[in-house]
Amino acid sequence: MNIHEYQAKAVLKEFGLPVSRGVPIFKPEEAEAAAKELGGPVWVVKSQIHAGGRGKGTFKGAPEGAKGGVRVTKSIDEVKQYAGEMLGQTLVTIQTGPAGKQVNRLYIEEGAQIAAEFYLSMLVDRETGQVAFVVSTEGGMDIETVAHDTPEKIVTFSVDPATGIMPHHGRAVAKALGLTGPQAKEAGELTTKLYAAFTAKDMSMLEINPLVLTGDGHLKCLDAKISFDSNALYRHPDVVALRDETEEDAKEIEASKYDLAYIALDGTIGCMVNGAGLAMATLDIIKLYGEEPANFLDVGGGASEEKVTAAFKIITADPQVKGILVNIFGGIMKCDVIARGVIAAVKAVGLEVPLVVRLEGTNVEQGKDIIRNSGLNVIPADDLDDAAQKIVAAVKKG
Ligand code: GDP
Ligand code: MN
């Protein structure tokens, strides 16, 4: 689960990390009071969306030369003007894709003087099973670009959970950033606090880009992006309260209510599969035969008829879907349950696109009978290869 920058900074502040003072606003009318509360003399008006690259982003339909989603100004009038220009508009950045994201919240911050911009992130490194730090002097830039062009400028290390964070980790950060004396000490404190925040809140990713050295020589987190481990949210109601569902895919929210593993994709073939591995294989084979999947969906091992019905409804409600492939291997899952779920869903929401069903495993004959006798226009398939070819052909024809 992701949160907005201003929320992430509030979390960091709880752990004593240095962030700028700021006020979130939802309406342009709130801009003036927010700016006055902060006092100036420099303000930063920051679009709050769950995507980076805002500074270099552009607003849809904005006049030529209009500035990005993060703007620095010395005038309250401009704070007001920018708020009016950003709120409600669609910001397109390299991370949002061409559709962009609507800006519904702004963060008005006091402006910081920047002497140097660094990069620092933390993530759970699955290879070592430890929390890893990624640090670079190349701040404010896309880290993928840095990794590609100048990989020697990136320093990484991971923290053994048995010892936790140690002074040498802080020294490694300071060294990577070329900091000495009191600034190295500050880097050490920052490293310790970041690790505390990361582990206490069960984060899966924390990115500070840029981490800056201010004009008066102190470190400050100028941007903050946090993702939390969804599997640990049950023990963080305060984090769950920060969720902004308008930033998430409506279909994914619906799927999460039924405990379905669902991810929306860009293609045309809706997939209902059980088991993550089989689901991945299904996406691959659709691509192999020349079409693109509209989603990843794992209904799980022991799905109920109700869950299957919900899954089918989510797929059919997607206007991008031009055909549906149900691919089930009934191990724990029984084929007749799947068949009944599909039929219940079709009766409830109708079926306007071709549907290919491939069933195999427990109760397969009962499942096939249920579908055969349903009177529905279902294209049966014998194996995965056959199923993929049939749904691709049906979608191409339609
Ligand atoms: P992003 O583009 O979505 O990553 O948004 P950031 O929060 O990183 O802001 C983009 C850029 O705006 C930063 O890299 C800084 O160069 C600049 N910026 C952000 N806050 C301030 C500030 O307080 N003062 C100044 N001078 N520049 C800032
Ligand atoms: Mn940034």
Side-chain angles (χ1 to χ4, degrees), residues 5 9 20 42-44 46-47 51-57 70-72 93 109-114 117 139-141 209-210 212 222-224:
E5 173 200 2
K9 286 180 170 171
S20 299
V42 180
W43 295 269
V44 189
K46 309 190 78 173
S47 303
R54 297 162 301 165
K56 294 198 179 82
V70 175
R71 302 184 199 170
V72 183
T93 80
E109 264 193 337
E110 61 178 352
Q113 244 196 323
I114 304 177
E117 290 188 294
M141 299 187 26
N209 187 21
V212 302
L222 221 57
D223 189 8

Side-chain angles (χ1 to χ4, degrees), residues 281-366:
T282 306
L283 305 192
D284 283 347
I285 203 161
I286 287 171
K287 279 172 170 278
L288 180 71
Y289 286 113
E291 277 293 329
E292 296 288 324
N295 66 280
F296 168 99
L297 172 63
D298 173 10
V299 292
S304 62
E305 190 180 319
E306 186 203 9
K307 205 164 155 177
V308 172
T309 308
F312 201 83
K313 282 184 184 168
I314 291 165
I315 295 175
T316 48
D318 182 351
Q320 281 194 139
V321 169
K322 305 289 179 245
I324 300 172
L325 172 56
V326 174
N327 181 27
I328 300 292
F329 179 80
I332 300 168
M333 187 81 217
K334 295 188 181 71
C335 293
D336 56 321
V337 172
I338 290 282
R340 272 194 289 271
V342 168
I343 285 158
V346 171
K347 285 203 172 125
V349 297
L351 180 65
E352 276 154 25
V353 296
L355 168 64
V356 171
V357 177
R358 180 255 175 166
L359 296 174
E360 197 54 78
T362 310
N363 295 354
V364 62
E365 286 314 322
Q366 281 158 263

Side-chain angles (χ1 to χ4, degrees), residues 185-313:
K185 188 165 170 271
E186 247 180 68
E189 286 162 10
L190 182 104
T191 306
T192 306
K193 287 172 183 169
L194 284 174
Y195 187 80
F198 192 95
T199 49
K201 295 287 182 184
D202 287 311
M203 296 178 191
S204 55
M205 203 274 302
L206 164 61
E207 185 182 57
I208 301 176
N209 187 21
L211 167 69
V212 302
L213 200 57
T214 59
D216 55 1
H218 293 287
L219 289 171
K220 200 173 215 182
C221 305
L222 221 57
D223 189 8
K225 186 176 180 186
I226 299 179
S227 303
F228 296 92
D229 179 351
S230 303
N231 293 318
L233 285 175
Y234 72 95
R235 53 187 184 194
H236 300 291
D238 54 330
V239 169
V240 175
L242 301 177
R243 189 165 184 181
D244 179 0
E245 293 199 343
T246 66
E247 288 283 336
E248 297 174 24
D249 188 291
K251 299 186 291 298
E252 290 181 12
I253 293 169
E254 184 65 15
S256 71
K257 287 184 196 153
Y258 291 91
D259 218 12
L260 295 160
Y262 175 93
I263 308 217
L265 302 170
D266 296 329
T268 55
I269 297 183
C271 303
M272 185 159 88
V273 190
N274 67 326
L278 187 58
M280 295 302 284
T282 306
L283 305 192
D284 283 347
I285 203 161
I286 287 171
K287 279 172 170 278
L288 180 71
Y289 286 113
E291 277 293 329
E292 296 288 324
N295 66 280
F296 168 99
L297 172 63
D298 173 10
V299 292
S304 62
E305 190 180 319
E306 186 203 9
K307 205 164 155 177
V308 172
T309 308
F312 201 83
K313 282 184 184 168

